[in-house]
Amino acid sequence: CICDLGYTGPAGSVCSSCIPGRFKPANGSAACELCAADLYSTARGAVSEATCKPCPGFSQSQAGSGDRDLCICNAGFTGLDGGPCSACSGGKYKASVSSLACSMCGSDTYSPALNATSSGTCQSCPSNTQAGKGSSKRTNCVCVKGYTGADGANCTACEAGTYKSSPGSSLCTACPVNSYSPTASIKRDECKCNAGYSGSADDGCFPCVAGTFKDNWSNDKCSKCPAGTFSGFLARNDVAGCNGTCPVLSNSAAGSDELADCKCNKGATGPDGGPCVLCDAGAYKTSQVRSSAASAVTVDAQTPPLTHRLRGHTPGGRVLTLVALGCAHLSSARVLPHVRCVREGSTMGHLVRCPPRTAWRVLRTATQSPGAAAMRTARAIRDTRASTACARRAPSAPTRIHRGALASSSA
């Protein structure tokens, strides 16, 4: 006894049917034949090669495959086992025979090839461009932030003074007025205020006010012109812009913006802005204040005993000049309570000498017509406090003291 078609086994023994993926077209003890590669057959006991069917498109199988699911998608194609299989699209590739998904080209590369089987098909984008993963066209490569140009082309950096905060082919944006940025800037914050201007790109950059300057490119505040200088101009971009210099014997505070800010130094007197002259011998001034060009009162000192005779320079023979004198400390403005008032042409009599390290100081003057009113004025100014006028130091010669430099105005 021999085995029939579709069965196999030794002669005279038990015969078994050909398993799926195999067939036997003749009687005998020969073995079942395999379906060829890329074919499959699900039939059991098949008697013809015709039962072997081809795998779905773009898939393959090994010889003797007994199920459609053994048909696997080719490299460059993807799909379920048994198909159907579809080609990897542009920007993707698949190197293995499997049911795996296609892999994407990496960032900043692109590939127009279909059913690609290697990452070597992914090409680099032009310089200063970027592209997302899986890009399929060169035009997917767009300019990075801070650069501009056509999609898919080489991009150029934004010029200094401009910026670009998003990728793409858009033009670079100019920095706000009076501000500047480096080349290839990517955000508005990189626009800093120019020298001579202060603020920020968001709030605006404004010129440094008179008396100030800024010598750097930043959002720093403007600096004050140094003491002893002044500048009346806006937007000075260097300390050299503080080119106004105070006259001799005067000084100005930092940040001064005009000549009138120059005040005469201690020990000197004159109008704001100069010219300033030193206090006369035997006189001093302890603060930096503005002096006026008022008329003067002359004090004659005679010692001993200490007697003062005052002569008014006010025109007219019928006007009295009343003067309040007191002892003052040389190193401060504090006045001791030795205050006397006299009228023009009179003598102060025999006053006690001022204590050590003090000197007589003119405290206040007043002009008045003769009579009782003059005497009331004299009494009214008796308790006047010290002023900032040049004060006498144990004088040995007549010394002129300007009434206009006194703290109190003439009555």
Side-chain angles (χ1 to χ4, degrees), residues 142-145 147-149 151 155 164 166-170:
V142 298
C143 296
V144 298
K145 297 178 182 180
Y147 286 77
T148 187
D151 294 343
C155 299
K164 182 166 158 282
S166 60
S169 58
S170 59

Side-chain angles (χ1 to χ4, degrees), residues 178 193-198 206-218 220-226 230-243:
N178 300 323
C193 293
N194 296 335
Y197 292 82
S198 181
F206 301 97
C208 294
V209 299
T212 66
F213 70 96
K214 185 165 80 71
D215 59 4
N216 56 69
W217 167 72
S218 70
D220 294 343
K221 294 182 179 179
C222 301
S223 301
K224 293 181 179 181
C225 287
F230 62 91
S231 172
F233 299 97
L234 302 178
R236 297 294 86 186
N237 59 11
D238 191 272
V239 69
C242 304
N243 53 5

Side-chain angles (χ1 to χ4, degrees), residues 45-309:
V47 298
S48 170
E49 185 179 10
T51 59
C52 299
K53 300 177 180 180
C55 285
F58 312 115
S59 67
Q60 61 184 5
S61 66
Q62 295 180 353
S65 294
D67 195 285
R68 179 181 171 127
D69 287 346
L70 297 177
C71 296
I72 310 300
C73 293
N74 297 335
F77 292 82
T78 187
L80 298 175
D81 292 345
C85 298
S86 57
C88 293
S89 60
K92 298 181 178 181
Y93 64 94
K94 180 167 162 279
S96 63
V97 177
S98 67
S99 60
L100 295 175
C102 300
S103 300
M104 291 189 294
C105 290
S107 299
D108 305 331
T109 65
Y110 70 97
S111 173
L114 299 177
N115 55 270
T117 61
S118 169
S119 61
T121 59
C122 302
Q123 305 174 48
S124 297
C125 284
S127 60
N128 302 313
T129 65
Q130 65 180 48
K133 292 181 178 180
S135 294
S136 61
K137 298 180 292 185
R138 183 182 174 98
T139 52
N140 292 140
C141 300
V142 298
C143 296
V144 298
K145 297 178 182 180
Y147 286 77
T148 187
D151 294 343
N154 291 327
C155 299
T156 56
C158 291
E159 297 179 351
T162 65
Y163 67 96
K164 182 166 158 282
S165 57
S166 60
S169 58
S170 59
L171 299 176
C172 302
T173 303
C175 285
V177 64
N178 300 323
S179 67
Y180 190 77
S181 67
T183 57
S185 292
I186 65 173
K187 53 186 178 180
R188 183 184 176 96
D189 288 349
E190 293 185 66
C191 298
K192 308 293 184 184
C193 293
N194 296 335
Y197 292 82
S198 181
S200 69
D202 290 334
D203 300 329
C205 294
F206 301 97
C208 294
V209 299
T212 66
F213 70 96
K214 185 165 80 71
D215 59 4
N216 56 69
W217 167 72
S218 70
N219 290 342
D220 294 343
K221 294 182 179 179
C222 301
S223 301
K224 293 181 179 181
C225 287
T229 68
F230 62 91
S231 172
F233 299 97
L234 302 178
R236 297 294 86 186
N237 59 11
D238 191 272
V239 69
C242 304
N243 53 5
T245 304
C246 285
V248 176
L249 298 179
S250 69
N251 200 7
S252 64
S256 295
D257 60 6
E258 61 177 344
L259 177 62
D261 291 329
C262 297
K263 313 291 184 183
C264 293
N265 296 336
K266 296 178 181 180
T269 185
D272 293 346
C276 300
V277 295
L278 292 173
C279 288
D280 293 336
Y284 66 93
K285 194 183 75 171
T286 60
S287 63
Q288 191 177 20
V289 296
R290 180 174 181 175
S291 300
S292 64
S295 59
V297 173
T298 300
V299 180
D300 294 337
Q302 298 174 357
T303 57
L306 184 60
T307 302
H308 292 261
R309 183 177 179 81

